[in-house]
C-alpha cells in the first residue's frame, strides 16, 4: 500500500508550485524551502517495515514514488526510443520544493537497492557501486539544499549526506574516512538535538500548544534516534582502526564525542530562531480568565514561546 505523499508548499504558488518573488528591488529572488527531509525518510521506513529488512518492498516503493514525482514535475525521461534524460538543475529546482524530495528518494532508492544486493551472494560485488551512487545523490541533495533550503533543511541534508558517505566508505573498508563522516553526522545531530523538546511537559501551568510540541518535541526525538543509530557504526570503526594499528581498542572506543563547531552552531541557532518564529505565527489566540483573546502581534506570540520554554525545566535539553 502506497503512503500518502508529504504536502510541501509553504513557499510555492498554489497553481504552478513556483517560488514566490520576494525581492523589493525586482530582483529574481525566491523564498527558501523548508523540507522535513529526515522526517520523510523515517516515515517511509516505518511504513515499509525497513527495521525487519523489507528492502525489496522499499526499493519498489521508492521507484514508484520517483515515477510519480517525475511525472508531476514534468521530468519524465520517457521509455525506449523516446528516452531523453532530463537533468535537474538548481535553477529548475527553485520552482518547486519537490525537486529536493526527488533527490532524496533517488538516494534512498540506490541505498535500498544496495541493501537488496548485499543479501545476494551472486551480486555481492556490485554493492559498492550502489552505495557510491547513493552517496553521490545524497551529496547532490546537500548541495541543492545549501542553495535553496532554509537552515534546518540544509543541516539535515548535510547530516544525511555525511551518513550516506560513511556507509559507502565503510563498505569499501576505508575505515578512517568512514569514521570521519560518521563523526561529522554525529556532530550535526548533536547540535540539532538541542532544539527544544516540550511535548513531554503536559502538566505545565501554561496553556497547551500542540503545534509547538509537534515541531520541537518530535524533531528532537528524531535527532536522538539518529544519534543512537550512529553509535554502533562509530564504535565498530574505532575498534577496527585500533586493531589494524595494533593499539588497544578500548582507547579508541572511549574517545570523546565531537563538539559542535562555531559554523554549525550558528546554523543551528538560525534554524531554531526560524522554528520559533513559525510556531509563534501559528498561535492565533490564548485563553485568559474564560475569555479567548486573539494574538495580533509577532512579538507577543514569540514571547509566549519563550515563556513556555523558560517555565518548562530542561525543555532545551
Amino acid at each position: 500500500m502506497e503512503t500518502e505523499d508529504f504536502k510541501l508548499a509553504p513557499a510555492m504558488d498554489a497553481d504552478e508550485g513556483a517560488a514566490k518573488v520576494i525581492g523589493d528591488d525586482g530582483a529574481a529572488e525566491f523564498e527558501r524551502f523548508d523540507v522535513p527531509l529526515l522526517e520523510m525518510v523515517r516515515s517511509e521506513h516505518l511504513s515499509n517495515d525497513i527495521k525487519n529488512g523489507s528492502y525489496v518492498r522499499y526499493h519498489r516503493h521508492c521507484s514508484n514514488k520517483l515515477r510519480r514525482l517525475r511525472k508531476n514535475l514534468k521530468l519524465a525521461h520517457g521509455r525506449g526510443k523516446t528516452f531523453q534524460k532530463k537533468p535537474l538543475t538548481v535553477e529548475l529546482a527553485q520552482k518547486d520544493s519537490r525537486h529536493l524530495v526527488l533527490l532524496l528518494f533517488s538516494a534512498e532508492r540506490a541505498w535500498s537497492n544496495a541493501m537488496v544486493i548485499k543479501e545476494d551472494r551472486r551480486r555481492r560485488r556490485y554493492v559498492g557501486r550502489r552505495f557510491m551512487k547513493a552517496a553521490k545523490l545524497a551529496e547532490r541533495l546537500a548541495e541543492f539544499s545549501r542553495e535553496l533550503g532554509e537552515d534546518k533543511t540544509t543541516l539535515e541534508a548535510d547530516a544525511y549526506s555525511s551518513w550516506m558517505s560513511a556507509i559507502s566508505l565503510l563498505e569499501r573498508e576505508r575505515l578512517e574516512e568512514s569514521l570521519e563522516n560518521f563523526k561529522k553526522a554525529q556532530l550535526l545531530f548533536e547540535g540539532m538535538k538541542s532544539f527544544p523538546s516540550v511535548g513531554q511537559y503536559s502538566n505545565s501551568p501554561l496553556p497547551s500548544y500542540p503545534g509547538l510540541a509537534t515541531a520541537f518535541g518530535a524533531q528532537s526525538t528524531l535527532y536522538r534516534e539518529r544519534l543512537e543509530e550512529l553509535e554502533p557504526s562509530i564504535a565498530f570503526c574505532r575498534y577496527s582502526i585500533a586493531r589494524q594499528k595494533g593499539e588497544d581498542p578500548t582507547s579508541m572506543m572511549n574517545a570523546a564525542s565531537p563538539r559542535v563547531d562555531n559554523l554549525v552552531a550558528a546554523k543551528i541557532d538560525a534554524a531554531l530562531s526560524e522554528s520559533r518564529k513559525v510556531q509563534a505565527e501559528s498561535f492565533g489566540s490564548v485563553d485568559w480568565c474564560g475569555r479567548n483573546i486573539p494574538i495580533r502581534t509577532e512579538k507577543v506570540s514569540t514571547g509566549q514561546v519563550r515563556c513556555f520554554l523558560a517555565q518548562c525545566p530542561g525543555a532545551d535539553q
Side-chain angles (χ1 to χ4, degrees), residues 165-236:
S165 296
I167 294 293
S168 175
L169 292 165
L170 182 60
E171 183 64 31
R172 288 175 282 159
E173 299 184 355
R174 294 166 60 176
L175 297 173
E176 293 189 5
E177 294 175 69
S178 177
L179 178 60
E180 287 301 314
N181 279 277
F182 275 129
K183 288 167 65 177
K184 181 180 177 182
Q186 184 186 40
L187 182 148
L188 289 165
F189 288 130
E190 281 283 356
M192 288 188 289
K193 80 170 185 180
S194 63
F195 279 24
S197 177
V198 300
Q200 56 186 308
Y201 299 100
S202 56
N203 297 324
S204 170
L206 294 175
S208 175
Y209 298 114
L212 184 64
T214 300
F216 290 154
Q219 288 296 315
S220 179
T221 301
L222 171 62
Y223 302 139
R224 293 173 192 275
E225 289 176 357
R226 283 282 182 169
L227 278 171
E228 291 176 1
E229 292 172 2
L230 284 175
E231 288 176 1
S233 299
I234 292 175
F236 174 78

Side-chain angles (χ1 to χ4, degrees), residues 37-50:
L37 300 173
L38 297 181
E39 182 61 36
M40 282 185 172
V41 171
R42 179 172 68 170
S43 177
E44 298 292 355
H45 283 192
L46 290 174
S47 300
N48 291 277
D49 202 22
I50 284 296

